[in-house]
């Protein structure tokens, strides 16, 4: 028992769930059905590892927790071939999950002048996912409580990275103000453009 569970909750949300979200959105677009399939891609596994390493820097010391061991345990769990965890299931409800998993630690990282790239890549992967069609042309439902708003934003923006990023960042109450302009938005746009132009698998390899 601890007097305050919040730091441990943040550890789980940011390291486990944040990496899960990165894997899920990139995987749905790239065509990986399960997390174990995604982890069989060395480049995507490396990005999941990077995500956890960077987000761990937003966490303070936790009693009886070694974050490196926790990260290694999570990566092993994700890669376990006996666990069939569908990426489309993890990708559901992104507008409710991403603020805690990606955006809040991104704000803290930017304030500390830390590397925004992992958060920007995860955000761009979600934006690419919001198009509702994978790189092979197969359509999928977004399964999000704000799906109608997401569809409207995508239709308004078209497939240009800058316009798409602007439209999704403008959704009310989703992105913190400090992420909507400047360096973070630019980092997201660059990665989203690569995903749109080169395909998700190539973008993953180039990022890793």
């Amino acid at each position: 028992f601890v007097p305050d569970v919040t730091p441990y909750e943040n550890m789980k949300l940011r390291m486990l769930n944040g990496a899960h979200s990165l894997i899920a959105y990139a995987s749905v677009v790239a065509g990986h059905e399960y997390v174990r399939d995604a982890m069989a891609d060395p480049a995507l596994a490396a990005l999941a590892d990077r995500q956890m390493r960077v987000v761990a820097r937003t966490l303070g010391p936790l009693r009886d927790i070694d974050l490196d061991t926790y990260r290694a345990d999570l990566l092993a769990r994700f890669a376990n071939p006996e666990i069939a965890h569908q990426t489309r299931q993890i990708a559901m409800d992104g507008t409710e999950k991403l603020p805690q998993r990606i955006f809040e630690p991104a704000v803290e990282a930017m304030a500390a002048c830390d590397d925004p790239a992992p958060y920007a890549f995860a955000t761009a992967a979600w934006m690419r996912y919001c198009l509702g069609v994978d790189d092979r042309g197969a359509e999928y439902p977004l399964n999000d409580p704000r799906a109608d708003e997401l569809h409207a934003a995508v239709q308004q923006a078209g497939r240009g990275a800058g316009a798409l990023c602007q439209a999704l960042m403008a959704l009310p109450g989703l992105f913190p103000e400090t992420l909507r302009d400047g360096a973070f938005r630019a980092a997201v746009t660059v990665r989203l453009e690569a995903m749109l132009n080169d395909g998700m698998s190539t973008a993953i390899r180039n990022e890793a």
Side-chain angles (χ1 to χ4, degrees):
F1 292 92
V2 293
D4 182 9
V5 75
T6 302
Y8 297 87
E9 181 182 28
N10 284 339
M11 178 189 74
K12 188 260 186 183
L13 286 168
R14 296 180 179 190
M15 292 187 70
L16 190 162
N17 298 126
H20 249 176
S21 289
L22 162 68
I23 291 168
Y25 296 120
S27 291
V28 171
V29 176
H32 300 306
E33 183 176 3
Y34 299 107
V35 172
R36 65 192 184 193
D37 302 329
M39 295 299 289
D41 176 349
L44 187 48
L47 291 184
D49 182 47
R50 180 186 72 164
Q51 180 81 15
M52 291 189 211
R53 289 178 183 273
V54 171
V55 80
R57 297 202 288 265
T58 70
L59 304 170
L62 297 171
R63 192 182 74 191
D64 298 327
I65 296 290
D66 181 277
L67 293 178
D68 285 334
T69 300
Y70 182 58
R71 173 178 51 80
D73 289 344
L74 290 177
L75 291 170
R77 170 183 162 185
F78 291 173
N80 187 335
E82 302 301 319
I83 300 177
H85 203 163
Q86 289 186 316
T87 55
R88 288 194 185 185
Q89 180 185 21
I90 298 168
M92 294 171 60
D93 304 330
T95 57
E96 293 185 340
K97 296 174 179 176
L98 289 178
Q100 295 171 305
R101 297 180 178 191
I102 301 296
F103 303 155
E104 288 180 8
V107 168
E108 295 176 21
M110 295 292 289
C113 298
D114 204 352
D115 184 11
Y119 309 101
F121 188 89
T123 302
W126 170 75
M127 291 181 172
R128 170 60 186 84
Y129 163 86
C130 286
L131 293 181
V133 59
D134 67 22
D135 279 343
R136 299 167 296 180
E139 297 183 355
Y140 49 82
L142 297 186
N143 290 325
D144 190 285
R146 301 181 68 174
D148 290 343
E149 293 177 76
L150 296 175
H151 284 305
V154 167
Q155 290 176 352
Q156 174 188 353
R159 290 184 64 92
L164 183 58
C165 183
Q166 179 178 357
L168 291 171
M169 283 192 167
L171 291 174
L174 183 56
F175 281 85
E177 183 176 354
T178 54
L179 300 184
R180 293 201 298 262
D181 293 303
F184 186 77
R185 179 172 164 180
V188 172
T189 301
V190 167
R191 287 161 175 82
L192 180 58
E193 186 171 23
M195 294 171 188
L196 293 170
N197 292 341
D198 305 326
M200 181 62 75
S201 294
T202 299
I204 289 169
R205 289 195 299 271
N206 290 340
E207 183 76 15

